Amino acid sequence: MNTFLQLLISALLVSSLYSLVAVGFTMYVGVINLANFSHGDTCVLGTFLMMPLFLYATKLGWISASTGLVILILIILLIFLTGLWGAAIYTILVKPLLAAPRLILLLATVAAGQVIREAIRVIYPNGSNPQVFPKLLPSGSLNLSGITLGYDSLTIIFLTIICILSLNFIIQKTKMGVAMRAVSQNADVAQMMGINIEQTIISVFVIGSALAGMAGILNGSYYGITKFNLGSNLGIKGFSAAVIGGLGDFKGAIVGGVLLGFIEVFAAAYIPNGSQYQDVFSFLAVIAFLIFRPSGILGEKIFEKV
Amino acid sequence: MLELTEIRVKYGKSVVIHDVSLSIQQGEIVSILGPNGSGKTTLVRSIVGLTPVVSGEIKFFNESIQKLKPHQIVAKGIVVVPEGRGIFPKMSIEENLKTGFMFIEKDKNVMNERIQEAYDRFPILGQRRNQLAGTLSGGEQTMLAVSRAMMRKPKLLLMDEPSLGLSPKLVQQTFGIIQELNQAGTSILLIEQNAVKALAICTRGYILQKGNVVLSGTREQLIADEKVHKAYFAMD
């Protein structure tokens, strides 16, 4: 029983990271029908932007003084920076190619991911090798009758829930959110209602990239390590979660992320030698969904009547 | 109020609107008639800026609008009931109504008043206000699309085939509403295939064929025209 609960916490942790990445993926698909394959690399970009910030803050002596608050400010600053990166990706890459076939734009995002990876290798000192990522999350753990709850895992799960709840509020209740949903359901009519489509798309890029940055640094500080090419795995897992949830479906992406996290953790634990090929199980799940339920796990289908 | 001067529209290399000129005066119902593929919907898309015009000019209240973005054009007082109704299927009825208002006007009290007006007009929409719009029947979707258009009390209403796919009774009702709106001061550009119905309520009309205006005139002139008579009324 204890092992099971322990695994549950691990699964929730992995699920959190995947969900954060998946939500961004699914939003791009929803609004401009684009799978942004630089999304995973944006996560890694977040870690490589965070490290110098942290180093600088340490140099100024801020980290020892009031660590928690400073780290919170650093995280907010980082979310802002990766958000800005999202706006840049839109302006430089997406906007000029918006009228082109989507495949071209998709390839352009693949290239953008490559640019991030190579830029890290060239610009960051010793960038080709793994880097030690600072411990941003509280250390130590809570012992509850034999179950160890790491403060870092709990913080990650908590922050993810906060992010997802706020994003849900934005999408459901704010004007910007209504605009995003309208554009994703019918972009032409959305414009006829007076929605500024460019503003709407750019805000999706800002939010998606900011969440990716968040996922990147949470991932980095949990494992204590980051590397220039870590993004391909995070990206492909986030994409898989979004596929399981039904591309373009916000809630589905979260459910997909959770499902993927649980499959991986429990497969690794209960299948002999499972940890050596845990990715196999998650991708099997993706394939199964693509074959049997391509509209996603929540997959209610409402077509516009003619 | 709206004036199109020799506008030309292309899809790729082929010209789909050939130097069409037309105008709508305040208080009129002007109908544009024509078969499928004659460019009627393209004309609507060009007016609101979704499909760019290659040459010519579009003026709204004497201001050139063809270089503006769609959201800027509709903010000037043009509202569209798009082809196929264009409701947002995964939003509730009430949210659909709000989309007709919130992106251009601010006053929440006015918005709630207008929503109430819509529910008074079509009680069924009020009963189902929290239901997803995609679950409505075709006729109900038309009620929703028209109600959404009325949220902003537009100066000019563009209606793209509102009768498409409706039962005769609902067509009758829809055209009744169009007349009512017009009497309340809204000018209307009515795109229709249903020439009999459209000619019954419009003040003037244009007949579009393969992207050309082949005939235009007052309602009486069009009805009296031999070609129109042959094409649209001979069966009656």
Side-chain angles (χ1 to χ4, degrees):
Chain A
M1 190 60 194
N2 275 357
T3 333
F4 179 78
L5 286 175
Q6 197 73 60
L7 286 173
L8 199 74
I9 298 293
S10 307
L12 278 177
L13 166 82
V14 178
S15 302
S16 298
L17 296 171
Y18 290 170
S19 298
L20 279 180
V21 183
V23 162
F25 247 119
T26 223
M27 284 174 81
Y28 299 130
V29 176
V31 171
I32 55 168
N33 204 12
L34 167 75
N36 176 1
F37 281 109
S38 71
H39 196 55
D41 300 292
T42 307
C43 303
V44 175
L45 180 70
T47 63
F48 278 88
L49 288 173
M50 189 57 157
M51 284 189 292
L53 285 178
F54 189 83
L55 214 64
Y56 192 62
T58 317
K59 227 178 223 170
L60 292 176
W62 289 355
I63 295 298
S64 53
S66 53
T67 310
L69 184 70
V70 173
I71 288 181
L72 193 69
I73 293 172
L74 284 183
I75 290 180
I76 291 170
L77 190 63
L78 183 100
I79 287 177
F80 180 76
L81 283 178
T82 41
L84 214 60
W85 167 256
I89 282 270
Y90 172 76
T91 314
I92 298 166
L93 198 75
V94 178
K95 197 181 163 194
L97 290 174
L98 218 46
R102 275 297 177 270
L103 188 60
I104 305 233
L105 191 47
L106 186 134
L107 287 173
T109 66
V110 173
Q114 188 75 29
V115 167
I116 295 177
R117 291 194 293 275
E118 293 307 316
I120 289 171
R121 291 177 63 165
V122 171
I123 297 167
Y124 203 83
N126 198 15
S128 301
N129 292 321
Q131 308 286 323
V132 176
F133 194 78
K135 285 270 172 208
L136 301 174
L137 305 171
S139 51
S141 61
L142 199 68
N143 214 313
L144 266 181
S145 56
I147 310 160
T148 317
L149 300 175
Y151 287 134
D152 50 358
S153 320
L154 292 180
T155 314
I156 289 177
I157 295 168
F158 175 73
L159 284 178
T160 304
I161 291 173
I162 297 279
C163 281
I164 286 172
L165 287 181
S166 348
L167 187 57
N168 189 52
F169 177 81
I170 292 175
I171 291 177
Q172 297 302 331
K173 297 286 175 208
T174 67
K175 196 166 145 181
M176 191 211 288
V178 179
M180 286 174 185
R181 283 184 290 140
V183 170
S184 83
Q185 289 174 40
N186 193 330
D188 283 348
V189 177
Q191 294 182 76
M192 291 176 187
M193 296 300 126
I195 290 169
N196 183 340
I197 193 165
E198 192 172 328
Q199 215 176 51
T200 308
I201 298 175
I202 208 166
S203 46
V204 165
F205 271 80
V206 169
I207 291 175
S209 300
L211 285 176
M214 181 86 179
I217 57 167
L218 291 180
N219 187 66
S221 57
Y222 183 76
Y223 296 105
I225 201 166
T226 185
K227 200 180 169 197
F228 74 96
N229 63 359
L230 225 57
S232 45
N233 186 52
L234 258 181
I236 216 84
K237 288 292 168 58
F239 180 62
S240 307
V243 167
I244 288 178
L247 282 170
D249 184 335
F250 170 69
K251 288 187 180 115
I254 296 159
V255 177
V258 171
L259 193 69
L260 209 58
F262 272 72
I263 289 174
E264 272 188 20
V265 169
F266 281 90
Y270 288 118
I271 295 173
N273 283 331
S275 63
Q276 284 169 25
Y277 42 91
Q278 58 180 17
D279 286 353
V280 173
F281 300 111
S282 33
F283 292 128
L284 275 179
V286 175
I287 292 168
F289 268 96
L290 282 175
I291 294 172
F292 298 110
R293 217 178 155 86
S295 61
I297 194 162
L298 301 179
E300 19 90 67
K301 278 256 156 192
I302 297 170
F303 290 110
E304 223 163 334
K305 290 174 180 150
V306 181
Chain B
M1 60 196 301
L2 182 75
E3 206 171 328
L4 279 60
T5 317
E6 300 193 338
I7 67 159
R8 174 178 290 227
V9 182
K10 282 181 174 176
Y11 283 139
K13 282 185 178 164
S14 56
V15 180
V16 286
I17 301 283
H18 298 268
D19 307 327
V20 164
S21 300
L22 59 87
S23 68
I24 303 157
Q25 310 303 320
Q26 205 132 16
E28 278 189 311
I29 301 181
V30 173
S31 59
I32 297 178
L33 308 171
N36 263 339
S38 56
K40 305 191 297 296
T41 295
T42 306
L43 212 52
V44 174
R45 292 180 59 88
S46 295
I47 293 171
V48 296
L50 282 169
T51 303
V53 295
V54 189
S55 60
E57 190 173 34
I58 304 176
K59 277 183 170 175
F60 187 58
F61 284 111
N62 289 321
E63 182 194 352
S64 190
I65 58 168
Q66 81 266 28
K67 292 264 180 336
L68 298 179
K69 299 258 165 64
H71 69 273
Q72 296 165 323
I73 294 174
V74 294
K76 300 216 174 280
I78 300 178
V79 165
V80 189
V81 176
E83 191 188 21
R85 303 168 198 104
I87 54 138
F88 299 114
K90 289 185 184 173
M91 286 187 194
S92 71
I93 288 168
E94 188 143 321
E95 263 191 321
N96 263 282
L97 290 175
K98 285 180 181 170
T99 58
F101 187 90
M102 63 192 289
F103 296 104
I104 292 169
E105 289 182 52
K106 303 263 179 297
D107 194 330
K108 285 235 160 89
N109 294 327
V110 177
M111 179 167 81
N112 292 330
E113 268 169 39
R114 301 268 169 88
I115 290 175
Q116 199 49 53
E117 280 171 29
Y119 293 160
D120 291 342
R121 185 191 291 274
F122 300 113
I124 191 149
L125 295 182
Q127 286 156 21
R128 301 186 180 178
R129 63 183 76 185
N130 295 318
Q131 200 171 314
L132 292 186
T135 63
L136 295 177
S137 73
E140 290 159 353
Q141 290 190 4
T142 300
M143 294 176 199
L144 179 56
V146 172
S147 304
R148 181 178 63 181
M150 291 326 293
M151 287 293 290
R152 263 177 54 214
K153 303 266 180 255
K155 295 173 190 150
L156 174 65
L157 182 60
L158 306 180
M159 301 191 97
D160 195 351
E161 301 222 18
S163 75
L164 194 73
L166 294 185
S167 69
K169 192 178 156 218
L170 275 167
V171 172
Q172 194 72 39
Q173 198 183 356
T174 309
F175 277 83
I177 294 167
I178 294 172
Q179 270 180 308
E180 208 180 304
L181 296 179
N182 180 246
Q183 276 149 21
T186 306
S187 314
I188 293 168
L189 182 64
L190 176 65
I191 311 283
E192 260 303 338
Q193 275 197 68
N194 190 334
V196 181
K197 285 278 177 228
L199 284 176
I201 63 166
C202 70
T203 37
R204 284 189 305 122
Y206 296 84
I207 294 183
L208 209 58
Q209 239 167 45
K210 291 180 182 163
N212 293 290
V213 171
V214 290
L215 193 70
S216 67
T218 63
R219 186 176 88 100
E220 291 74 18
Q221 285 170 331
L222 289 179
I223 292 174
D225 188 273
E226 207 168 300
K227 276 180 290 183
V228 176
H229 197 84
K230 246 194 200 148
Y232 296 111
F233 293 96
M235 302 293 287
D236 288 13

